[in-house]
Amino acid sequence: MVARSRRKGRDVDGVLLLDKPSGMTSNAALQTIKHAFYARKAGHTGSLDPLATGVLPICFGQATRFSQFLLDADKAYEATIRLGVSTDSGDAEGKVLEESNVPNIDGSSWERLLDKFRGVVEQVPNMFSAIKVDGQPLYKLARQGIEVERAPRQVTIYSLVLRGCKDDQVQLGIRCSKGTYIRCLAQDIGEELGCGAHVTQLRRISSGPFAIDQAVSIDRVIDLAESRDFAALAEHLLPVSSAVSSLPAVTLPYLSALYLRQGQPVQVVGAPTDGMMRLYSETEDAQVFIGVGEIDGDGLIAPRRLLADSGSG
């Protein structure tokens, strides 16, 4: 009889908000953090380009059940773009394709230009994006010199603010929907101006309910891991429920929560009349997070995504 191999790592549940450094891929950052926590299961929610820094939520254990809510969340960025230089990747790491003179633009002209990119807009993904075509990420095809047709995608730019402009450097504040490519925005602005543009600096300052001032540096995590201070590492973990903290909260009586965990829709007085919500079960001592539910066609709360057990808040 062959013995089963034990899975490596320890059970860790929660969300870590990492301030990803520049020069590192999101996957490399994930693997570093996963190793530091010696965690059995972890995943990041929303890739950042290697050049970019900022908020990268990493879900551990049971929090990975709710990672889609963070992937679908709105994001906010601070970006610096350089006018007059086009690159194949749309950022400073790409190959320079063309250099042009930068036109003189005053404040009112900038406002009119940026207004063209506010609201629902279409973007054609850059060939250096992570979108897959026939199972292959576009950036891998691009590195082989292969270019394929990409369908435009609709995204929403809720806010686009000019932070500053000096010579050929422009600073922008951006709040947008999931799937928005800031590199594409820079390229489209450069095309509108007729001089080309690319991103030189990009920092994600929020992702869904999480802001940059909550994030921890990768160096801090590594230092704690090397000193084997797991208690201090755990202090940087947010509860599993934080992944869905943007949803309204509903507390279920203990028996209702028990039925819900068995897959049965339940009725709760005072619950929202539609939409999704995060659910808690009443216990003698506290309210315990059990997962996410949604109002069904009969006006009952139906289970949508539940924890494997009620041990994580």
Side-chain angles (χ1 to χ4, degrees):
M1 180 176 178
V2 179
R4 282 186 186 175
S5 59
R6 297 181 63 188
R7 292 181 296 168
K8 291 183 179 180
R10 63 194 183 102
D11 289 323
V12 178
D13 296 310
V15 180
L16 179 87
L17 302 183
L18 179 68
D19 185 349
K20 188 191 85 66
S22 182
M24 176 178 275
T25 66
S26 294
N27 187 60
L30 166 66
Q31 297 306 324
T32 299
I33 297 300
K34 184 179 178 184
H35 177 76
F37 275 82
Y38 195 58
R40 186 167 292 165
K41 185 177 183 180
H44 68 71
T45 59
S47 294
L48 281 171
D49 291 335
L51 171 142
T53 66
V55 180
L56 181 66
I58 293 178
C59 293
F60 290 96
Q62 299 225 49
T64 60
R65 291 170 174 258
F66 308 96
S67 59
Q68 190 62 47
F69 291 92
L70 295 175
L71 286 167
D72 292 343
D74 297 338
K75 314 291 192 297
Y77 299 90
E78 296 289 336
T80 299
I81 67 174
R82 182 183 175 189
L83 305 176
V85 179
S86 302
T87 70
D88 56 1
S89 63
D91 63 22
E93 297 184 334
K95 176 185 174 183
V96 174
L97 299 177
E98 189 176 0
E99 297 189 38
S100 306
N101 293 326
V102 178
N104 292 321
I105 319 164
D106 59 22
S108 58
S109 297
W110 265 115
E111 187 60 25
R112 287 194 299 272
L113 184 146
L114 294 180
D115 199 46
K116 297 180 180 180
F117 298 98
R118 297 183 179 116
V120 178
V121 297
E122 284 195 340
Q123 290 188 331
V124 177
N126 188 282
M127 272 302 299
F128 284 83
S129 68
I131 293 173
K132 291 183 178 180
V133 174
D134 297 330
Q136 277 273 68
L138 286 177
Y139 66 82
K140 288 191 175 181
L141 298 175
R143 288 170 185 164
Q144 299 171 38
I146 301 171
E147 183 165 353
V148 296
E149 188 174 346
R150 288 95 65 204
R153 312 171 94 194
Q154 278 196 344
V155 298
T156 304
I157 298 179
Y158 303 106
S159 174
L160 181 57
V161 179
L162 181 67
R163 302 285 194 215
C165 181
K166 185 177 180 182
D167 300 326
D168 62 352
Q169 301 290 318
V170 180
Q171 288 81 42
L172 299 173
I174 305 145
R175 189 169 64 86
C176 54
S177 66
K178 70 165 186 175
T180 303
Y181 284 97
I182 308 304
R183 288 178 296 157
C184 291
L185 176 62
Q187 289 175 314
D188 291 343
I189 288 173
E191 184 176 339
E192 187 71 23
L193 289 169
C195 65
H198 68 275
V199 173
T200 58
Q201 294 181 30
L202 182 63
R203 183 159 178 78
R204 185 191 283 164
I205 58 172
S206 73
S207 177
F210 303 130
I212 190 63
D213 57 5
Q214 300 170 273
V216 61
S217 73
I218 200 166
D219 289 339
R220 173 64 175 160
V221 173
I222 292 172
D223 286 345
L224 292 174
E226 289 179 345
S227 63
R228 302 190 65 78
D229 192 343
F230 291 114
L233 274 176
E235 289 178 4
H236 289 290
L237 283 179
L238 299 174
V240 172
S241 58
S242 67
V244 290
S245 59
S246 59
L247 299 178
V250 172
T251 300
L252 307 179
Y254 178 78
L255 281 177
S256 295
L258 187 63
Y259 291 137
L260 189 99
R261 288 195 197 102
Q262 295 171 351
Q264 301 179 41
V266 297
Q267 186 171 25
V268 178
V269 176
T273 56
D274 60 13
M276 303 193 78
M277 61 213 70
R278 66 186 194 275
L279 303 176
Y280 295 83
S281 172
E282 281 185 343
T283 67
E284 290 185 4
D285 302 320
Q287 296 176 349
V288 178
F289 177 66
I290 60 173
V292 169
E294 184 177 18
I295 300 298
D296 66 11
D298 296 322
L300 304 177
I301 298 177
R304 289 294 179 257
R305 188 63 59 90
L306 303 180
L307 294 181
D309 55 53
S310 59
S312 298

